[in-house]
Amino acid sequence: MGKVTGFLEYERQEEGYAPVAERLKTWKEFVIGLDEPKAKIQGARCMDCGTPFCNNGCPVNNVIPDWNDLVYRGDWKNAIAVLHSTNNFPEFTGRICPAPCEAACTLNVNGDAVGIKSLEHAIVDRAWAEGWIQPQPPKAKTGKKVAVVGSGPAGLAAAQQLARAGHEVTVFEKNHRVGGLLRYGIPDFKFEKSHIDRRVEQMKAEGVVFRTGVLVGALPKGSKVTNDAKETVSAEQLQAEFDAVVLAGGAEQSRDLPVPGRDLDGVHFAMEFLPQQNKVVAGDKVKGQIRADGKHVIVIGGGDTGSDCVGTSNRHGAASVTQFELMPMPPEQEDRPMTWPYWPTKLRTSSSHEEGCVREFAIATKEFVGAKGKLTGLKTVNVQWQGGKMVEVPGSEREWKADLVLLAMGFTNPVASVLEAFGVAKDARGNAAATTEAAGGYRTSVAKVFAAGDMRRGQSLVVWAIREGRQCARAVDEFLTGSSLLPR
């Protein structure tokens, strides 16, 4: 694969970024992808390692060495064919996947992994530019009808696969634009929404019907979940009208922080803050938008959602941005021989952190404080692990100034009302109970109702959502026709 001695001759080729001062003025993507010469060098580094652990490190099992080699040889058209054989939307994963494949790369044992994600990005962007990505309508129709509830990556992958198998597919989305958390959770500076729109047009040409602004079931009263629905459809209606139903909504129930002062004005979930900005970028008018302009912002939660809040706050013009993480600061360099080929624990600094952010580790919020109902600050204490338990560090109490606090501590489960509307059994975490076994995989406890993505497995990565959507599509195809040619 690649050049036989390439991994000895060439260094890893990194994608570039626009300067911080420049990119903070816009909501556009700022990653500078690899040009053809750099991509060829990157592909040349893929060694003939015998057992390509990267394939298994990737949840969709991308055939990574093959398209690395094709890029090295300049055969870009076949590279996108190989990439599409396992991944419906490589322009999604090439931008926002954390690249577990690179952690599993054999070169990563004692050196720098092949830049697999950057090659994926380069391949799919070139394929769009060259016009190689075209609709693939089915040669024949089956006459079977499938409803897909949710238009995030799992729902889109399932819908596209099922439509290509010849089924009549209708996607139901409660918001008035397609994309789920891709659309409303990830800032445009990381992922411009034109990528979703382009795929939606492709899928429409393949026969997929999109019904937006349609809520399936009902949201709990006072729910903070993004919802633009102007129409409601019952679970009974879908079960009566369709031969199969795929539940592919996101895990949108945000983890809360029930400490004193939680009800103060100025404390918000990240998923109240981020979707509003995405709507504004899309040209929507948002009444009473939560803004960070001139405010001292504290983001509670050290993951990707927290990082997105940091980048958004800086673009608003926040006076300061601080990010809290409950866990201790991880090492800057992972212990590769101990963790490879698995995902390592190490300090990860995002592009948003580089734009301006103070990061605090091993810190817990004890109370939000305010005056006249408005947030003015919060109280914290440092924590440490002792005997397998987290304990407070005596004398480490501190009070912080804060005008805006964003809770970005992850998501607990899907909106329960959707599952309850169908009467689907739930697992201990509140997700739809459904196994992934080949026989009867992705089926719920309710006849002809399937579940995939975050709805089934809980909060996870976009690449896991695409995998589950594809596998669920095969299970549905087998259920409807008795067999399936769709890849599992």
mmCIF file with all atom_site columns, all heavy atoms in Angstrom, residues 201-227:
data_model
loop_
_atom_site.group_PDB
_atom_site.id
_atom_site.type_symbol
_atom_site.label_atom_id
_atom_site.label_alt_id
_atom_site.label_comp_id
_atom_site.label_asym_id
_atom_site.label_entity_id
_atom_site.label_seq_id
_atom_site.pdbx_PDB_ins_code
_atom_site.Cartn_x
_atom_site.Cartn_y
_atom_site.Cartn_z
_atom_site.occupancy
_atom_site.B_iso_or_equiv
_atom_site.pdbx_formal_charge
_atom_site.auth_seq_id
_atom_site.auth_comp_id
_atom_site.auth_asym_id
_atom_site.auth_atom_id
_atom_site.pdbx_PDB_model_num
ATOM 1   N N   . GLU A 1 201 ? -30.202 16.932 -1.804 1.00 0.00 ? 201 GLU A N   1
ATOM 2   C CA  . GLU A 1 201 ? -30.605 17.000 -3.205 1.00 0.00 ? 201 GLU A CA  1
ATOM 3   C C   . GLU A 1 201 ? -30.305 15.691 -3.922 1.00 0.00 ? 201 GLU A C   1
ATOM 4   O O   . GLU A 1 201 ? -31.095 15.229 -4.754 1.00 0.00 ? 201 GLU A O   1
ATOM 5   C CB  . GLU A 1 201 ? -29.892 18.172 -3.900 1.00 0.00 ? 201 GLU A CB  1
ATOM 6   C CG  . GLU A 1 201 ? -30.359 19.535 -3.435 1.00 0.00 ? 201 GLU A CG  1
ATOM 7   C CD  . GLU A 1 201 ? -31.868 19.704 -3.541 1.00 0.00 ? 201 GLU A CD  1
ATOM 8   O OE1 . GLU A 1 201 ? -32.435 19.424 -4.634 1.00 0.00 ? 201 GLU A OE1 1
ATOM 9   O OE2 . GLU A 1 201 ? -32.497 20.095 -2.533 1.00 0.00 ? 201 GLU A OE2 1
ATOM 10  N N   . GLN A 1 202 ? -29.164 15.093 -3.616 1.00 0.00 ? 202 GLN A N   1
ATOM 11  C CA  . GLN A 1 202 ? -28.836 13.790 -4.191 1.00 0.00 ? 202 GLN A CA  1
ATOM 12  C C   . GLN A 1 202 ? -29.880 12.753 -3.789 1.00 0.00 ? 202 GLN A C   1
ATOM 13  O O   . GLN A 1 202 ? -30.371 11.978 -4.623 1.00 0.00 ? 202 GLN A O   1
ATOM 14  C CB  . GLN A 1 202 ? -27.448 13.331 -3.727 1.00 0.00 ? 202 GLN A CB  1
ATOM 15  C CG  . GLN A 1 202 ? -27.034 11.972 -4.300 1.00 0.00 ? 202 GLN A CG  1
ATOM 16  C CD  . GLN A 1 202 ? -25.859 11.354 -3.555 1.00 0.00 ? 202 GLN A CD  1
ATOM 17  O OE1 . GLN A 1 202 ? -25.719 11.517 -2.347 1.00 0.00 ? 202 GLN A OE1 1
ATOM 18  N NE2 . GLN A 1 202 ? -25.013 10.635 -4.286 1.00 0.00 ? 202 GLN A NE2 1
ATOM 19  N N   . MET A 1 203 ? -30.253 12.744 -2.499 1.00 0.00 ? 203 MET A N   1
ATOM 20  C CA  . MET A 1 203 ? -31.200 11.751 -1.999 1.00 0.00 ? 203 MET A CA  1
ATOM 21  C C   . MET A 1 203 ? -32.601 11.964 -2.573 1.00 0.00 ? 203 MET A C   1
ATOM 22  O O   . MET A 1 203 ? -33.321 11.006 -2.859 1.00 0.00 ? 203 MET A O   1
ATOM 23  C CB  . MET A 1 203 ? -31.206 11.780 -0.470 1.00 0.00 ? 203 MET A CB  1
ATOM 24  C CG  . MET A 1 203 ? -29.907 11.262 0.141  1.00 0.00 ? 203 MET A CG  1
ATOM 25  S SD  . MET A 1 203 ? -29.802 11.488 1.921  1.00 0.00 ? 203 MET A SD  1
ATOM 26  C CE  . MET A 1 203 ? -31.091 10.360 2.474  1.00 0.00 ? 203 MET A CE  1
ATOM 27  N N   . LYS A 1 204 ? -32.987 13.209 -2.754 1.00 0.00 ? 204 LYS A N   1
ATOM 28  C CA  . LYS A 1 204 ? -34.281 13.477 -3.388 1.00 0.00 ? 204 LYS A CA  1
ATOM 29  C C   . LYS A 1 204 ? -34.312 12.901 -4.802 1.00 0.00 ? 204 LYS A C   1
ATOM 30  O O   . LYS A 1 204 ? -35.319 12.324 -5.230 1.00 0.00 ? 204 LYS A O   1
ATOM 31  C CB  . LYS A 1 204 ? -34.549 14.983 -3.422 1.00 0.00 ? 204 LYS A CB  1
ATOM 32  C CG  . LYS A 1 204 ? -34.931 15.589 -2.083 1.00 0.00 ? 204 LYS A CG  1
ATOM 33  C CD  . LYS A 1 204 ? -35.160 17.093 -2.223 1.00 0.00 ? 204 LYS A CD  1
ATOM 34  C CE  . LYS A 1 204 ? -35.581 17.720 -0.895 1.00 0.00 ? 204 LYS A CE  1
ATOM 35  N NZ  . LYS A 1 204 ? -35.757 19.197 -1.016 1.00 0.00 ? 204 LYS A NZ  1
ATOM 36  N N   . ALA A 1 205 ? -33.197 13.053 -5.517 1.00 0.00 ? 205 ALA A N   1
ATOM 37  C CA  . ALA A 1 205 ? -33.115 12.501 -6.876 1.00 0.00 ? 205 ALA A CA  1
ATOM 38  C C   . ALA A 1 205 ? -33.133 10.979 -6.868 1.00 0.00 ? 205 ALA A C   1
ATOM 39  O O   . ALA A 1 205 ? -33.470 10.355 -7.885 1.00 0.00 ? 205 ALA A O   1
ATOM 40  C CB  . ALA A 1 205 ? -31.850 13.012 -7.562 1.00 0.00 ? 205 ALA A CB  1
ATOM 41  N N   . GLU A 1 206 ? -32.788 10.388 -5.732 1.00 0.00 ? 206 GLU A N   1
ATOM 42  C CA  . GLU A 1 206 ? -32.834 8.927  -5.591 1.00 0.00 ? 206 GLU A CA  1
ATOM 43  C C   . GLU A 1 206 ? -34.189 8.429  -5.117 1.00 0.00 ? 206 GLU A C   1
ATOM 44  O O   . GLU A 1 206 ? -34.391 7.216  -4.960 1.00 0.00 ? 206 GLU A O   1
ATOM 45  C CB  . GLU A 1 206 ? -31.731 8.475  -4.618 1.00 0.00 ? 206 GLU A CB  1
ATOM 46  C CG  . GLU A 1 206 ? -30.329 8.712  -5.175 1.00 0.00 ? 206 GLU A CG  1
ATOM 47  C CD  . GLU A 1 206 ? -29.217 8.507  -4.163 1.00 0.00 ? 206 GLU A CD  1
ATOM 48  O OE1 . GLU A 1 206 ? -29.518 8.368  -2.953 1.00 0.00 ? 206 GLU A OE1 1
ATOM 49  O OE2 . GLU A 1 206 ? -28.047 8.486  -4.569 1.00 0.00 ? 206 GLU A OE2 1
ATOM 50  N N   . GLY A 1 207 ? -35.098 9.369  -4.838 1.00 0.00 ? 207 GLY A N   1
ATOM 51  C CA  . GLY A 1 207 ? -36.459 8.992  -4.475 1.00 0.00 ? 207 GLY A CA  1
ATOM 52  C C   . GLY A 1 207 ? -36.857 9.230  -3.034 1.00 0.00 ? 207 GLY A C   1
ATOM 53  O O   . GLY A 1 207 ? -38.008 8.977  -2.659 1.00 0.00 ? 207 GLY A O   1
ATOM 54  N N   . VAL A 1 208 ? -35.939 9.720  -2.201 1.00 0.00 ? 208 VAL A N   1
ATOM 55  C CA  . VAL A 1 208 ? -36.267 9.962  -0.796 1.00 0.00 ? 208 VAL A CA  1
ATOM 56  C C   . VAL A 1 208 ? -37.157 11.209 -0.684 1.00 0.00 ? 208 VAL A C   1
ATOM 57  O O   . VAL A 1 208 ? -36.875 12.237 -1.294 1.00 0.00 ? 208 VAL A O   1
ATOM 58  C CB  . VAL A 1 208 ? -34.998 10.152 0.058  1.00 0.00 ? 208 VAL A CB  1
ATOM 59  C CG1 . VAL A 1 208 ? -35.355 10.445 1.513  1.00 0.00 ? 208 VAL A CG1 1
ATOM 60  C CG2 . VAL A 1 208 ? -34.115 8.910  -0.031 1.00 0.00 ? 208 VAL A CG2 1
ATOM 61  N N   . VAL A 1 209 ? -38.217 11.106 0.112  1.00 0.00 ? 209 VAL A N   1
ATOM 62  C CA  . VAL A 1 209 ? -39.114 12.231 0.374  1.00 0.00 ? 209 VAL A CA  1
ATOM 63  C C   . VAL A 1 209 ? -38.814 12.764 1.776  1.00 0.00 ? 209 VAL A C   1
ATOM 64  O O   . VAL A 1 209 ? -38.728 11.981 2.735  1.00 0.00 ? 209 VAL A O   1
ATOM 65  C CB  . VAL A 1 209 ? -40.592 11.798 0.280  1.00 0.00 ? 209 VAL A CB  1
ATOM 66  C CG1 . VAL A 1 209 ? -41.517 12.936 0.690  1.00 0.00 ? 209 VAL A CG1 1
ATOM 67  C CG2 . VAL A 1 209 ? -40.909 11.337 -1.133 1.00 0.00 ? 209 VAL A CG2 1
ATOM 68  N N   . PHE A 1 210 ? -38.649 14.071 1.898  1.00 0.00 ? 210 PHE A N   1
ATOM 69  C CA  . PHE A 1 210 ? -38.370 14.691 3.202  1.00 0.00 ? 210 PHE A CA  1
ATOM 70  C C   . PHE A 1 210 ? -39.589 15.497 3.639  1.00 0.00 ? 210 PHE A C   1
ATOM 71  O O   . PHE A 1 210 ? -40.081 16.353 2.895  1.00 0.00 ? 210 PHE A O   1
ATOM 72  C CB  . PHE A 1 210 ? -37.146 15.606 3.113  1.00 0.00 ? 210 PHE A CB  1
ATOM 73  C CG  . PHE A 1 210 ? -35.858 14.877 2.920  1.00 0.00 ? 210 PHE A CG  1
ATOM 74  C CD1 . PHE A 1 210 ? -35.362 14.629 1.642  1.00 0.00 ? 210 PHE A CD1 1
ATOM 75  C CD2 . PHE A 1 210 ? -35.128 14.417 4.006  1.00 0.00 ? 210 PHE A CD2 1
ATOM 76  C CE1 . PHE A 1 210 ? -34.175 13.950 1.446  1.00 0.00 ? 210 PHE A CE1 1
ATOM 77  C CE2 . PHE A 1 210 ? -33.932 13.731 3.824  1.00 0.00 ? 210 PHE A CE2 1
ATOM 78  C CZ  . PHE A 1 210 ? -33.453 13.504 2.542  1.00 0.00 ? 210 PHE A CZ  1
ATOM 79  N N   . ARG A 1 211 ? -40.064 15.214 4.842  1.00 0.00 ? 211 ARG A N   1
ATOM 80  C CA  . ARG A 1 211 ? -41.159 15.994 5.436  1.00 0.00 ? 211 ARG A CA  1
ATOM 81  C C   . ARG A 1 211 ? -40.621 16.686 6.684  1.00 0.00 ? 211 ARG A C   1
ATOM 82  O O   . ARG A 1 211 ? -40.385 16.049 7.715  1.00 0.00 ? 211 ARG A O   1
ATOM 83  C CB  . ARG A 1 211 ? -42.349 15.098 5.772  1.00 0.00 ? 211 ARG A CB  1
ATOM 84  C CG  . ARG A 1 211 ? -43.075 14.553 4.545  1.00 0.00 ? 211 ARG A CG  1
ATOM 85  C CD  . ARG A 1 211 ? -44.298 13.754 4.922  1.00 0.00 ? 211 ARG A CD  1
ATOM 86  N NE  . ARG A 1 211 ? -45.251 14.558 5.703  1.00 0.00 ? 211 ARG A NE  1
ATOM 87  C CZ  . ARG A 1 211 ? -46.377 14.061 6.233  1.00 0.00 ? 211 ARG A CZ  1
ATOM 88  N NH1 . ARG A 1 211 ? -46.671 12.775 6.074  1.00 0.00 ? 211 ARG A NH1 1
ATOM 89  N NH2 . ARG A 1 211 ? -47.175 14.831 6.929  1.00 0.00 ? 211 ARG A NH2 1
ATOM 90  N N   . THR A 1 212 ? -40.357 17.973 6.564  1.00 0.00 ? 212 THR A N   1
ATOM 91  C CA  . THR A 1 212 ? -39.785 18.740 7.670  1.00 0.00 ? 212 THR A CA  1
ATOM 92  C C   . THR A 1 212 ? -40.881 19.480 8.427  1.00 0.00 ? 212 THR A C   1
ATOM 93  O O   . THR A 1 212 ? -41.998 19.658 7.935  1.00 0.00 ? 212 THR A O   1
ATOM 94  C CB  . THR A 1 212 ? -38.748 19.735 7.145  1.00 0.00 ? 212 THR A CB  1
ATOM 95  O OG1 . THR A 1 212 ? -39.366 20.581 6.158  1.00 0.00 ? 212 THR A OG1 1
ATOM 96  C CG2 . THR A 1 212 ? -37.572 19.015 6.514  1.00 0.00 ? 212 THR A CG2 1
ATOM 97  N N   . GLY A 1 213 ? -40.538 19.920 9.645  1.00 0.00 ? 213 GLY A N   1
ATOM 98  C CA  . GLY A 1 213 ? -41.522 20.593 10.486 1.00 0.00 ? 213 GLY A CA  1
ATOM 99  C C   . GLY A 1 213 ? -42.615 19.661 10.957 1.00 0.00 ? 213 GLY A C   1
ATOM 100 O O   . GLY A 1 213 ? -43.714 20.099 11.292 1.00 0.00 ? 213 GLY A O   1
ATOM 101 N N   . VAL A 1 214 ? -42.317 18.360 10.997 1.00 0.00 ? 214 VAL A N   1
ATOM 102 C CA  . VAL A 1 214 ? -43.302 17.349 11.403 1.00 0.00 ? 214 VAL A CA  1
ATOM 103 C C   . VAL A 1 214 ? -42.783 16.623 12.644 1.00 0.00 ? 214 VAL A C   1
ATOM 104 O O   . VAL A 1 214 ? -41.726 15.968 12.600 1.00 0.00 ? 214 VAL A O   1
ATOM 105 C CB  . VAL A 1 214 ? -43.568 16.333 10.280 1.00 0.00 ? 214 VAL A CB  1
ATOM 106 C CG1 . VAL A 1 214 ? -44.589 15.289 10.746 1.00 0.00 ? 214 VAL A CG1 1
ATOM 107 C CG2 . VAL A 1 214 ? -44.071 17.035 9.026  1.00 0.00 ? 214 VAL A CG2 1
ATOM 108 N N   . LEU A 1 215 ? -43.482 16.736 13.725 1.00 0.00 ? 215 LEU A N   1
ATOM 109 C CA  . LEU A 1 215 ? -43.116 16.083 14.980 1.00 0.00 ? 215 LEU A CA  1
ATOM 110 C C   . LEU A 1 215 ? -43.842 14.748 15.091 1.00 0.00 ? 215 LEU A C   1
ATOM 111 O O   . LEU A 1 215 ? -45.063 14.685 14.973 1.00 0.00 ? 215 LEU A O   1
ATOM 112 C CB  . LEU A 1 215 ? -43.479 16.979 16.167 1.00 0.00 ? 215 LEU A CB  1
ATOM 113 C CG  . LEU A 1 215 ? -43.228 16.405 17.567 1.00 0.00 ? 215 LEU A CG  1
ATOM 114 C CD1 . LEU A 1 215 ? -41.746 16.181 17.801 1.00 0.00 ? 215 LEU A CD1 1
ATOM 115 C CD2 . LEU A 1 215 ? -43.796 17.332 18.632 1.00 0.00 ? 215 LEU A CD2 1
ATOM 116 N N   . VAL A 1 216 ? -43.098 13.686 15.307 1.00 0.00 ? 216 VAL A N   1
ATOM 117 C CA  . VAL A 1 216 ? -43.682 12.366 15.521 1.00 0.00 ? 216 VAL A CA  1
ATOM 118 C C   . VAL A 1 216 ? -43.852 12.170 17.023 1.00 0.00 ? 216 VAL A C   1
ATOM 119 O O   . VAL A 1 216 ? -42.887 12.252 17.774 1.00 0.00 ? 216 VAL A O   1
ATOM 120 C CB  . VAL A 1 216 ? -42.804 11.256 14.922 1.00 0.00 ? 216 VAL A CB  1
ATOM 121 C CG1 . VAL A 1 216 ? -43.384 9.880  15.239 1.00 0.00 ? 216 VAL A CG1 1
ATOM 122 C CG2 . VAL A 1 216 ? -42.677 11.449 13.416 1.00 0.00 ? 216 VAL A CG2 1
ATOM 123 N N   . GLY A 1 217 ? -45.076 11.946 17.451 1.00 0.00 ? 217 GLY A N   1
ATOM 124 C CA  . GLY A 1 217 ? -45.361 11.877 18.880 1.00 0.00 ? 217 GLY A CA  1
ATOM 125 C C   . GLY A 1 217 ? -45.512 13.277 19.435 1.00 0.00 ? 217 GLY A C   1
ATOM 126 O O   . GLY A 1 217 ? -46.006 14.177 18.761 1.00 0.00 ? 217 GLY A O   1
ATOM 127 N N   . ALA A 1 218 ? -45.050 13.505 20.657 1.00 0.00 ? 218 ALA A N   1
ATOM 128 C CA  . ALA A 1 218 ? -45.158 14.830 21.286 1.00 0.00 ? 218 ALA A CA  1
ATOM 129 C C   . ALA A 1 218 ? -44.001 15.024 22.247 1.00 0.00 ? 218 ALA A C   1
ATOM 130 O O   . ALA A 1 218 ? -43.593 14.096 22.941 1.00 0.00 ? 218 ALA A O   1
ATOM 131 C CB  . ALA A 1 218 ? -46.485 14.954 22.026 1.00 0.00 ? 218 ALA A CB  1
ATOM 132 N N   . LEU A 1 219 ? -43.456 16.235 22.282 1.00 0.00 ? 219 LEU A N   1
ATOM 133 C CA  . LEU A 1 219 ? -42.380 16.543 23.220 1.00 0.00 ? 219 LEU A CA  1
ATOM 134 C C   . LEU A 1 219 ? -42.961 16.826 24.602 1.00 0.00 ? 219 LEU A C   1
ATOM 135 O O   . LEU A 1 219 ? -44.077 17.340 24.718 1.00 0.00 ? 219 LEU A O   1
ATOM 136 C CB  . LEU A 1 219 ? -41.589 17.763 22.747 1.00 0.00 ? 219 LEU A CB  1
ATOM 137 C CG  . LEU A 1 219 ? -40.722 17.583 21.498 1.00 0.00 ? 219 LEU A CG  1
ATOM 138 C CD1 . LEU A 1 219 ? -40.100 18.902 21.104 1.00 0.00 ? 219 LEU A CD1 1
ATOM 139 C CD2 . LEU A 1 219 ? -39.642 16.547 21.736 1.00 0.00 ? 219 LEU A CD2 1
ATOM 140 N N   . PRO A 1 220 ? -42.219 16.510 25.661 1.00 0.00 ? 220 PRO A N   1
ATOM 141 C CA  . PRO A 1 220 ? -42.682 16.839 27.010 1.00 0.00 ? 220 PRO A CA  1
ATOM 142 C C   . PRO A 1 220 ? -42.874 18.343 27.173 1.00 0.00 ? 220 PRO A C   1
ATOM 143 O O   . PRO A 1 220 ? -42.178 19.144 26.538 1.00 0.00 ? 220 PRO A O   1
ATOM 144 C CB  . PRO A 1 220 ? -41.544 16.328 27.908 1.00 0.00 ? 220 PRO A CB  1
ATOM 145 C CG  . PRO A 1 220 ? -40.769 15.371 27.075 1.00 0.00 ? 220 PRO A CG  1
ATOM 146 C CD  . PRO A 1 220 ? -40.908 15.828 25.661 1.00 0.00 ? 220 PRO A CD  1
ATOM 147 N N   . LYS A 1 221 ? -43.800 18.731 27.990 1.00 0.00 ? 221 LYS A N   1
ATOM 148 C CA  . LYS A 1 221 ? -44.056 20.146 28.235 1.00 0.00 ? 221 LYS A CA  1
ATOM 149 C C   . LYS A 1 221 ? -42.799 20.821 28.795 1.00 0.00 ? 221 LYS A C   1
ATOM 150 O O   . LYS A 1 221 ? -42.160 20.325 29.709 1.00 0.00 ? 221 LYS A O   1
ATOM 151 C CB  . LYS A 1 221 ? -45.215 20.306 29.215 1.00 0.00 ? 221 LYS A CB  1
ATOM 152 C CG  . LYS A 1 221 ? -45.682 21.744 29.384 1.00 0.00 ? 221 LYS A CG  1
ATOM 153 C CD  . LYS A 1 221 ? -46.907 21.834 30.287 1.00 0.00 ? 221 LYS A CD  1
ATOM 154 C CE  . LYS A 1 221 ? -47.367 23.277 30.432 1.00 0.00 ? 221 LYS A CE  1
ATOM 155 N NZ  . LYS A 1 221 ? -48.557 23.385 31.309 1.00 0.00 ? 221 LYS A NZ  1
ATOM 156 N N   . GLY A 1 222 ? -42.433 21.971 28.215 1.00 0.00 ? 222 GLY A N   1
ATOM 157 C CA  . GLY A 1 222 ? -41.261 22.715 28.677 1.00 0.00 ? 222 GLY A CA  1
ATOM 158 C C   . GLY A 1 222 ? -39.944 22.174 28.157 1.00 0.00 ? 222 GLY A C   1
ATOM 159 O O   . GLY A 1 222 ? -38.878 22.592 28.608 1.00 0.00 ? 222 GLY A O   1
ATOM 160 N N   . SER A 1 223 ? -39.996 21.262 27.190 1.00 0.00 ? 223 SER A N   1
ATOM 161 C CA  . SER A 1 223 ? -38.764 20.678 26.654 1.00 0.00 ? 223 SER A CA  1
ATOM 162 C C   . SER A 1 223 ? -37.882 21.745 26.016 1.00 0.00 ? 223 SER A C   1
ATOM 163 O O   . SER A 1 223 ? -38.355 22.662 25.363 1.00 0.00 ? 223 SER A O   1
ATOM 164 C CB  . SER A 1 223 ? -39.106 19.602 25.611 1.00 0.00 ? 223 SER A CB  1
ATOM 165 O OG  . SER A 1 223 ? -37.943 19.160 24.963 1.00 0.00 ? 223 SER A OG  1
ATOM 166 N N   . LYS A 1 224 ? -36.565 21.612 26.216 1.00 0.00 ? 224 LYS A N   1
ATOM 167 C CA  . LYS A 1 224 ? -35.594 22.553 25.646 1.00 0.00 ? 224 LYS A CA  1
ATOM 168 C C   . LYS A 1 224 ? -35.053 22.056 24.299 1.00 0.00 ? 224 LYS A C   1
ATOM 169 O O   . LYS A 1 224 ? -34.168 22.665 23.713 1.00 0.00 ? 224 LYS A O   1
ATOM 170 C CB  . LYS A 1 224 ? -34.414 22.739 26.607 1.00 0.00 ? 224 LYS A CB  1
ATOM 171 C CG  . LYS A 1 224 ? -34.796 23.219 27.994 1.00 0.00 ? 224 LYS A CG  1
ATOM 172 C CD  . LYS A 1 224 ? -35.088 24.706 28.008 1.00 0.00 ? 224 LYS A CD  1
ATOM 173 C CE  . LYS A 1 224 ? -35.242 25.215 29.439 1.00 0.00 ? 224 LYS A CE  1
ATOM 174 N NZ  . LYS A 1 224 ? -35.482 26.658 29.504 1.00 0.00 ? 224 LYS A NZ  1
ATOM 175 N N   . VAL A 1 225 ? -35.580 20.943 23.803 1.00 0.00 ? 225 VAL A N   1
ATOM 176 C CA  . VAL A 1 225 ? -35.092 20.360 22.562 1.00 0.00 ? 225 VAL A CA  1
ATOM 177 C C   . VAL A 1 225 ? -35.489 21.227 21.374 1.00 0.00 ? 225 VAL A C   1
ATOM 178 O O   . VAL A 1 225 ? -36.606 21.740 21.303 1.00 0.00 ? 225 VAL A O   1
ATOM 179 C CB  . VAL A 1 225 ? -35.655 18.926 22.395 1.00 0.00 ? 225 VAL A CB  1
ATOM 180 C CG1 . VAL A 1 225 ? -35.363 18.380 21.007 1.00 0.00 ? 225 VAL A CG1 1
ATOM 181 C CG2 . VAL A 1 225 ? -35.065 18.008 23.449 1.00 0.00 ? 225 VAL A CG2 1
ATOM 182 N N   . THR A 1 226 ? -34.551 21.408 20.435 1.00 0.00 ? 226 THR A N   1
ATOM 183 C CA  . THR A 1 226 ? -34.816 22.191 19.229 1.00 0.00 ? 226 THR A CA  1
ATOM 184 C C   . THR A 1 226 ? -36.017 21.629 18.498 1.00 0.00 ? 226 THR A C   1
ATOM 185 O O   . THR A 1 226 ? -36.082 20.435 18.220 1.00 0.00 ? 226 THR A O   1
ATOM 186 C CB  . THR A 1 226 ? -33.586 22.151 18.297 1.00 0.00 ? 226 THR A CB  1
ATOM 187 O OG1 . THR A 1 226 ? -32.446 22.586 19.024 1.00 0.00 ? 226 THR A OG1 1
ATOM 188 C CG2 . THR A 1 226 ? -33.785 23.053 17.101 1.00 0.00 ? 226 THR A CG2 1
ATOM 189 N N   . ASN A 1 227 ? -36.978 22.496 18.168 1.00 0.00 ? 227 ASN A N   1
ATOM 190 C CA  . ASN A 1 227 ? -38.217 22.000 17.580 1.00 0.00 ? 227 ASN A CA  1
ATOM 191 C C   . ASN A 1 227 ? -38.938 23.127 16.851 1.00 0.00 ? 227 ASN A C   1
ATOM 192 O O   . ASN A 1 227 ? -39.367 24.090 17.458 1.00 0.00 ? 227 ASN A O   1
ATOM 193 C CB  . ASN A 1 227 ? -39.108 21.424 18.690 1.00 0.00 ? 227 ASN A CB  1
ATOM 194 C CG  . ASN A 1 227 ? -40.475 21.020 18.190 1.00 0.00 ? 227 ASN A CG  1
ATOM 195 O OD1 . ASN A 1 227 ? -40.620 20.605 17.054 1.00 0.00 ? 227 ASN A OD1 1
ATOM 196 N ND2 . ASN A 1 227 ? -41.466 21.149 19.039 1.00 0.00 ? 227 ASN A ND2 1
#
